[in-house]
Amino acid sequence: DEAELQEADINHEIDLTLDLIRHETKNRITIVKNYGKIPPIKCYPNMLNQVFMNILVNAAHAIEKVGTITIDTNFENNNLVVKIKDDGCGIKEPEKIFFAGYTTKGVGVGTGLGLAISQKIIEKHNGNISVKTKLNEGSEFTITIPSK
């Protein structure tokens, strides 16, 4: 992992992550990309890719059969804003999802570390991650990172 801040094209980084998780979505989940025009952002790209992967894999797992994941990227008020929304099962206890060890997955399936690590990575970028969720309708994660 790169220890130095680098400039990265976040839309490209999300595309790289989508390529990595294609096996989770192939023939089952439609990916809708609403990418805004975003300047290169100073960040730790591999760390952000880990965040995107955690959220996208969770979204894929939340969709039982077929569904849609929508990704919106924008640059607003000197902030990168990434929204990842799924039409899956929703999250029963959203207030707990960023705590290490909490998982909505079955025993032996999830470790409960993905979103806790993701929150730490976003905090390292001086940003914020939040979720809106509704049972049986889906979840939307919003990541906001100030531009350096």
Side-chain angles (χ1 to χ4, degrees), residues 12-23 33 56:
H12 176 70
E13 297 299 325
I14 293 171
D15 283 340
L16 290 174
T17 303
L18 288 168
D19 286 344
L20 283 174
I21 66 156
R22 183 158 286 129
H23 65 283
K33 298 188 273 189
L56 289 164

Side-chain angles (χ1 to χ4, degrees), residues 1-45:
D1 198 10
E2 295 97 357
E4 300 292 318
L5 279 171
Q6 301 177 31
E7 284 202 341
D9 174 346
I10 295 304
N11 293 336
H12 176 70
E13 297 299 325
I14 293 171
D15 283 340
L16 290 174
T17 303
L18 288 168
D19 286 344
L20 283 174
I21 66 156
R22 183 158 286 129
H23 65 283
E24 296 279 357
T25 60
K26 191 176 177 184
N27 302 324
R28 198 172 71 81
I29 297 171
T30 302
I31 305 292
V32 177
K33 298 188 273 189
N34 301 316
Y35 289 172
K37 188 173 178 166
I38 298 174
I41 303 292
K42 272 206 173 272
C43 64
Y44 301 96

Side-chain angles (χ1 to χ4, degrees), residues 13 18 21 36 40 44 49 78 80 83 89 105 122 134:
E13 297 299 325
L18 288 168
I21 66 156
Y44 301 96
N49 288 346
N78 266 355
L80 166 69
K83 294 184 179 191
C89 62
K105 298 174 184 172
I122 298 303
K134 201 165 196 179

Side-chain angles (χ1 to χ4, degrees), residues 17-18 21 51-60 69 71 84:
T17 303
L18 288 168
I21 66 156
V51 172
F52 302 144
M53 185 173 334
N54 288 337
I55 294 171
L56 289 164
V57 167
N58 285 350
I69 296 173
I71 305 165
I84 301 173

